[in-house]
Amino acid sequence: MPSTGYLIAGVAVAGVITLALRALPFAALKPLRKSKFVQALGQWMPAGILIILAIVVFRDQITAAPGRVFPVLIATAVTVLVHLVTKRRALISIAAGTACYVLLLNLL
Amino acid sequence: MQHTDHGSPRRVGAAAGLRDSLGVGLGIFPLGIALGILVIQAGLPGWLAPALSIGIFAGSVELLLVSMLAAATPLVTIAATVFAVNFRHVFYAFSFPLGQVRRGLPRAYSVYAMIDEAYATYVLLPPDKLSSARIVTGQLAMQAYWVSGSLLGALIAAALPAPIEGFEFALVALFVVMAMDAIRGRRELPSAVLACLAVGASMLVAGENTLLVALIIYTVLLGLRFLLNKRRGTSAPDAATDSDLPQEDDRA
């Protein structure tokens, strides 16, 4: 087993880098707040970033277990449908999709 | 702005933050359990699970680190990996409503705890519905789910043969739902199309770094869009139509 000192150093290195990546851009953008370009990016980015995250997470779920493509597809369809039907109540949609997936995996 | 300690605006904000965190928690908590189990199964000490989720607080990197630490990977390699995987957070600074969070400790915590789920939850809400208490409470709750999940996972790793499978799907559901909420009208359509182009191209060429490469391509495309708009003389993003009308929702 790796030494305690090594484990602590590993966590510290990863923690400092993560924090820097989260904090420094805010500091760097501060003087640019008035910039039209930064404002445009701030307005355009959320929708696109969320779509990218959704597609990548969806892809990862399929590549993690290639034999489960159909459960993933069905549960995703259920999530989307429930979300539209319940007028976008996120909690219900997520619970329905997840319950569907858990049932498909454990009952089939 | 009231700053009394038990003033009701803050309590209302905290309650809203807790509510925000519930859907996300459905995905975070089971993943925390998975992290705890992984730590024990890799032959690492149990305290590492909460140490990871407090010291780093970035889900994907923590899961990755477990195997790296177990294999005694050099610290330089760990640093490079963390940098590559977490570089996406750089893009969040453009749109995360950090200005709504009170200066000092709350704002510092909000930056430290800016996981994907927190970004996704708060970037879409209109500014008048946001408050410092709401955002920080939501983030605190998310970290509480993550830390307690990892502790629980470490504790039950030895006792249980295998936990119920499939709860990790909550994360997929969460981001699908968030993406749907992000596209509420025709206004987001250009962004959506560019994002799909970016992620499609990235999947073809990027392999393991799909997410990061997609974000970079997307940013470049937005840059081009900005230049194009500027040439057409419509460079200013139209902030006037912020009214959040759910017009085109009933497509089902």
Side-chain angles (χ1 to χ4, degrees):
Chain A
M1 192 173 94
S3 74
T4 305
Y6 166 76
L7 292 179
I8 292 175
V11 172
V13 164
V16 166
I17 292 180
T18 304
L19 185 60
L21 286 173
R22 286 174 178 167
L24 293 182
F26 282 109
L29 286 180
K30 218 170 197 176
L32 301 176
R33 274 284 128 83
K34 295 246 156 69
S35 142
K36 280 257 165 27
F37 180 56
V38 170
Q39 283 177 5
L41 282 188
Q43 200 190 334
W44 290 338
M45 274 189 156
I49 288 182
L50 289 169
I51 289 168
I52 290 171
L53 277 172
I55 293 176
V56 170
V57 168
F58 176 81
R59 201 269 318 253
D60 288 350
Q61 180 80 19
I62 286 179
T63 46
R68 295 173 177 170
V69 173
F70 281 108
V72 172
L73 287 177
I74 294 169
T76 304
V78 167
T79 308
V80 172
L81 275 179
V82 171
H83 200 51
L84 291 174
V85 169
T86 60
K87 304 249 162 68
R88 297 172 184 271
R89 310 256 292 273
L91 208 56
I92 298 173
S93 328
I94 295 168
T98 308
C100 170
Y101 187 71
V102 171
L103 286 177
L104 284 174
L105 281 201
N106 293 283
L107 294 184
L108 293 184
Chain B
M1 279 255 184
Q2 287 213 345
H3 286 297
T4 43
D5 256 19
H6 30 252
S8 67
R10 187 181 291 187
R11 205 178 293 174
V12 169
L18 264 184
R19 241 177 293 120
D20 297 335
S21 74
L22 287 180
V24 182
L26 220 56
I28 293 180
F29 188 67
L31 221 70
I33 294 179
L35 174 74
I37 291 173
L38 219 64
V39 166
I40 300 299
Q41 279 176 354
L44 296 165
W47 59 262
L48 191 64
L52 284 167
S53 32
I54 293 170
I56 307 169
F57 195 29
S60 46
V61 154
E62 289 173 44
L63 292 164
L64 213 65
L65 262 190
V66 172
S67 52
M68 294 186 89
L69 289 174
T73 311
L75 291 180
V76 182
T77 313
I78 290 181
T81 308
V82 171
F83 186 82
V85 175
N86 275 347
F87 193 76
R88 65 178 185 281
H89 292 298
V90 163
F91 298 97
Y92 296 170
F94 287 100
S95 42
F96 188 80
L98 193 67
Q100 304 282 334
V101 181
R102 273 200 298 139
R103 285 170 191 282
L105 204 59
R107 194 175 282 190
Y109 177 77
S110 188
V111 170
Y112 149 81
M114 203 181 44
I115 52 173
D116 297 335
E117 290 82 355
Y119 171 80
T121 304
Y122 290 114
V123 75
L124 293 179
L125 290 176
D128 56 304
K129 287 193 178 155
L130 286 175
S131 71
S132 187
R134 180 171 186 176
I135 296 176
V136 172
T137 307
Q139 289 184 288
L140 276 169
M142 289 175 203
Q143 186 162 27
Y145 304 141
W146 183 239
V147 175
S148 58
S150 72
L151 272 174
L152 186 63
L155 287 176
I156 64 173
L160 269 179
I164 302 175
E165 275 189 295
F167 278 100
E168 79 279 1
F169 184 82
L171 224 62
V172 180
L174 168 77
F175 283 113
V176 166
V177 163
M178 295 289 186
M180 286 174 71
D181 286 349
I183 321 162
R184 304 213 101 181
R186 227 162 269 169
R187 218 151 63 84
E188 267 79 32
L189 219 58
S191 299
V193 170
L194 293 180
C196 289
L197 281 177
V199 79
S202 172
M203 276 181 179
L204 289 178
V205 298
E208 284 198 350
N209 288 322
T210 308
L211 182 52
L212 182 57
V213 173
L215 287 172
I216 293 171
I217 298 175
Y218 180 54
T219 309
V220 171
L221 289 176
L222 287 185
L224 293 175
R225 178 182 173 190
F226 183 78
L227 290 178
L228 211 76
N229 279 4
K230 202 171 181 184
R231 185 169 295 181
R232 280 203 240 123
T234 50
S235 76
D238 34 81
T241 36
D242 252 1
S243 46
D244 207 46
L245 295 168
Q247 333 123 329
E248 284 148 65
D249 283 358
D250 310 304
R251 275 165 293 170

